Amino acid sequence: MRGSSFFSHFCSSALRTKPLGKSSDVVDSNAGEGLVRRLGPFDLILLGIGASIGAGIFVVTGTVARDAGPGVTISFLLAGASCVLNALCYAELASRFPAVVGGAYLYTYTAFNELTAFLVFTQMMLDYHIGAASIARSLASYVINIFELIPSIKDNIPNWVGHGSDDIFGFLSINILAPILLVILTIILCRGVGESTLVNTIMTITKVVIVLVVIIVGAFEVDDSNWSPFAPNGFKSILTGATVAFFAYVGFDAVANSAEESKRPQRDLPIGIIGSLLVCVVLYIGVCLVITGMVPYKLLGEDAPLAEAFKSKGLNFVSVLISIGAIAGLTTTLLVGLYVQSRLYLGLGRDGLLPAIFAKVHPTRHTPIHSQIWVGIVAFVLAGLLNVTVLSHILSVGSLAGYSVVAACVMTLRWDDHQVSKRMEGITCIIVIACCGFVAGILYRYSVSTLADIFLILPIAIAIFAAAGLQFRHVYRDPPGFSCPWVPIVPAVCIFFNIFLFAQLHYEAWVRFVVLSIIAVCVYAFYGQYNANPASDDSIYYHRVPEVEAQ
């Protein structure tokens, strides 16, 4: 009987949803409790750019160009278009939900159920933790490279200081500078959103200016004959390049997690999400055109293709600028990543799915200091002791899963019918589209002939029929605030392409997805289901910025 009671309680808890509150549930306070509303649309755009563009803009563009040729421009355009569709879904939900933290986790909790929301959180959080440690080690390496430009210091800095010591047991690698940098950024974030926003603004503007200088200087060195042939390895190489380029844009969703610190979230969050992504698309395409126009794509280097392209033209000073831009880019990416993690922990602490200590906000700094310190400690340990590059191939699973679930949330929250049978029919169609995306991805990945590519037509056709079922079997309400266009077609395309990309990941990423999901279910079963409180009556307080400061 105890076993059946446990299972019954587990099922009822797992299927709970969080009521969709109203903006009026968020109470203005000058008493000091809660976060502070300081971020305007410009701050949010810079936040999204800071999260999306790191050192990769100087490396990934050239790496993809080595295979796709000048067609890398189309690769980044296709990837950018796909991310824009995902951004439209995020923008609608960010505008629709009450102005509190949570992002994809909060949307899933409301649209689906408690367990699915917790699974989304765990998958995304592992990406964030490993990603932060990896970025910290890369940042430390770039900082050391700058110091090594001084002749008296060059070759005198031990690897364990910034580049990482030789591997011990295949995965341990000591790095001293990376944890120090994490401590500095964690202190900045703990001091308040004003200080962290200032650092992000300075670093992001520096990074964007350097990218623009690189594009403008490189434009004068372009030889348009290098753009012919435009797609030397065919369209498939361009599409494969798009699957790689997609991950260069990941990060715009960070804006959605700043809802509780945005001055006018219903208006400004969509502007921040879409605006930052469009800026990133323009910058990436500009760099692609320059790098393939300056040097024949076959001659591009592997480690630093853009820097080497400028060196080949005698423009060594641009290489120094690129290193500075890389440091600025990695700093903002790491800063925003740590910021987003703390806000997600804050959301789960409030809902009871994590201990209540994560829900506490400092009374004067107006930051979730306990969550922020915990996030810093995890990154500190991973970056200081582990060679996290060996874990890089299991990243991006959480982002793709989160994006797919957000797209599904857009559809389910718009359904006008409340019949269980119709809802289950719609969810079945969504699952079919996801499965077709995975099958199409597998067929595309392992096809060795044009004939094999013909089989791609079958999963695509089934997905189209499932999308048609979503279109004609459900009535969709117009949401308040920003509205994603062409629902359910846009969300369905997002789900199909996201899961298609999921199939392109290393098989160990699939294993990680399954294993972490099992662990998350166990954690939920023995802790979350007994402590969660999705319908809490507690109001969410925020602290109003003084009028003089807000202007």
Side-chain angles (χ1 to χ4, degrees), residues 149-205:
L149 293 176
I150 304 173
S152 60
I153 296 180
K154 187 177 182 181
D155 299 327
N156 291 323
I157 302 177
N159 283 338
W160 52 265
V161 173
H163 293 302
S165 67
D166 295 334
D167 287 357
I168 306 171
F169 305 119
F171 63 92
L172 291 176
S173 175
I174 306 300
N175 190 310
I176 300 300
L177 183 56
I180 293 175
L181 296 173
L182 282 165
V183 169
I184 294 172
L185 292 179
T186 300
I187 291 173
I188 292 173
L189 287 164
C190 287
R191 285 188 59 82
V193 68
E195 289 80 355
S196 58
T197 300
L198 178 62
V199 173
N200 182 66
T201 299
I202 294 172
M203 288 293 189
T204 301
I205 290 177

Side-chain angles (χ1 to χ4, degrees), residues 99 135-136 168 253 306 332 334 343 358 413:
I135 293 169
I168 306 171
D253 53 303
L306 193 60
T332 59
L334 183 57
R343 271 53 182 179
F358 290 111
L413 289 172

